[in-house]
Amino acid sequence: MKRLCVIGAGGLLGGRILAAAKGTYELLAADLHGKPAWMPGDLEYLQVDISDRDGLIGALRGRGIDCIVNAAAMTDVDRCEEYPERARAVNTAGAEHAAIAALETGAGLIHVSTDYVFDGENGPYTEVDEPNPLSVYGRSKYEGEIAVTRVLPTATIVRTMILFGYTPSGNANFVTWLVGMLREGRQVRIVNDQYGTPTYADQLAGALLTLADAHAEGLFHAAGPELMNRYAFAMMIAGVFDLNGELIIETTSERFHQRAVRPKRSGLVCDKLADICGYRFEPLAESLTHMKQLAGE
């Protein structure tokens, strides 16, 4: 059985990769924080900071790893604007460190990136479109892609966006946050001018493992199949979870006053993933329903 190491295993995507790979791979989890209570007690776990080059390489060396998935990132876009050095340490230098670790251990590498490498002027985007990041987060992730490719040209880089899903850790994502707010009867303001392709973490985990099994190399986009604005997505969530959509108030980015500039018309085209690996994401409503079932609702 091949050995898979998931860096960033304590996050939403990392956790769903572990769940999807169980029984198919021997698993090694790694994360900045201590082992979460929801992880199985017998799961091999490493507490390591991806921004610590020598610490990461030392932790992974000699463990017989066949493939590393780097799902670790500083993803709070506004916080990246406030702390750009930390953003670069994790998203740029950390990505490079994961590539060096893969090179030194002889493992393959799948590195997860973002649609924020684009400016959102002409989305949805394919893999051949030219990046032009608008924010510290976007720049740090794009520079991470460059670093990974420079160190390990055979690496797989996978861009995704608007990740959501059920997580026993309780970490918030757009869907869990919105469901919580609506259940409390609280009004929320959601922008109607930021477009993208929301992505179910379970489906993305399946795509990453499919790429690993295919030994695919190079750049891929992996995201949900439906382009919509955040307000429309919020209304769909309210419908699937049987919540009061009247609490959702439409607004615009200009009125919302976010610290970091967001790409307005983004989205990712995933034809390459489908053509090479035969992998397609399920409709968004089905993903939300599956998430609802996982949460026991």
Side-chain angles (χ1 to χ4, degrees):
M1 187 178 290
K2 290 185 176 181
R3 192 158 169 77
L4 179 73
C5 174
V6 181
I7 305 174
L12 169 59
L13 178 58
R16 301 321 295 161
I17 295 170
L18 292 176
K22 185 178 180 181
T24 306
Y25 286 88
E26 239 180 72
L27 295 172
L28 173 63
D31 198 90
L32 173 64
H33 306 288
K35 188 174 184 178
W38 57 265
M39 283 190 183
D42 59 352
L43 176 66
E44 190 174 358
Y45 186 89
L46 300 171
Q47 185 172 357
V48 61
D49 185 347
I50 197 171
S51 68
D52 177 1
R53 177 186 181 277
D54 294 339
L56 180 68
I57 295 169
L60 300 188
R61 186 182 287 123
R63 294 184 177 272
I65 299 168
D66 295 291
C67 182
I68 298 169
V69 178
N70 179 27
M74 184 173 174
T75 58
D76 185 324
V77 182
D78 292 326
R79 190 170 175 80
C80 286
E81 292 290 321
E82 190 174 357
Y83 300 100
E85 291 185 4
R86 182 57 184 167
R88 286 189 287 270
V90 176
N91 296 341
T92 305
E96 181 178 43
H97 299 163
I100 295 170
L103 184 65
E104 293 204 5
T105 59
L109 175 66
I110 297 178
H111 172 69
V112 181
S113 191
T114 174
D115 72 297
Y116 272 63
V117 302
F118 297 112
D119 58 19
E121 295 292 328
N122 298 297
Y125 295 97
T126 70
E127 292 84 353
V128 300
D129 287 317
E130 188 69 27
N132 182 33
L134 300 175
S135 62
V136 169
Y137 172 65
R139 285 192 295 276
S140 67
K141 290 295 287 183
Y142 182 48
E143 288 163 5
E145 293 183 6
I146 294 170
V148 166
T149 303
R150 183 179 62 247
V151 172
L152 192 67
T154 58
T156 308
I157 296 172
V158 182
R159 294 176 182 148
T160 192
M161 69 176 305
I162 315 178
L163 198 63
F164 70 89
Y166 168 72
T167 170
S169 69
N171 291 341
N173 54 76
F174 184 74
V175 176
T176 57
W177 168 80
L178 180 66
V179 168
M181 293 290 282
L182 297 182
R183 281 189 177 149
E184 292 174 5
R186 298 170 65 180
Q187 278 193 348
V188 293
R189 296 186 179 276
I190 307 294
V191 297
N192 62 9
D193 57 356
Q194 293 177 20
Y195 286 78
T197 43
T199 308
Y200 187 35
D202 291 57
Q203 289 273 296
L204 178 58
L208 298 178
L209 294 175
T210 298
L211 287 164
D213 292 341
H215 302 286
E217 299 177 2
L219 178 62
F220 289 84
H221 287 177
E226 294 159 65
L227 179 70
M228 62 179 63
N229 65 48
R230 289 286 184 132
Y231 174 76
F233 184 34
M235 292 301 292
M236 178 182 285
I237 294 164
V240 170
F241 281 82
D242 301 314
L243 297 167
N244 183 8
E246 292 182 1
L247 293 171
I248 303 172
I249 310 302
E250 240 179 314
T251 188
T252 63
S253 299
E254 285 70 23
R255 294 176 179 173
F256 210 62
H257 304 301
Q258 293 169 303
R259 179 188 290 266
V261 180
R262 268 71 169 171
K264 282 195 173 179
R265 188 167 185 86
S266 190
L268 297 172
V269 178
C270 304
D271 293 346
K272 182 180 176 182
L273 177 67
D275 292 343
I276 292 179
C277 297
Y279 194 91
R280 289 176 172 80
F281 283 73
E282 67 185 13
L284 192 52
E286 290 182 21
S287 294
L288 288 168
T289 300
H290 184 259
M291 176 183 170
K292 184 180 177 183
Q293 293 167 346
L294 269 183
E297 301 178 13

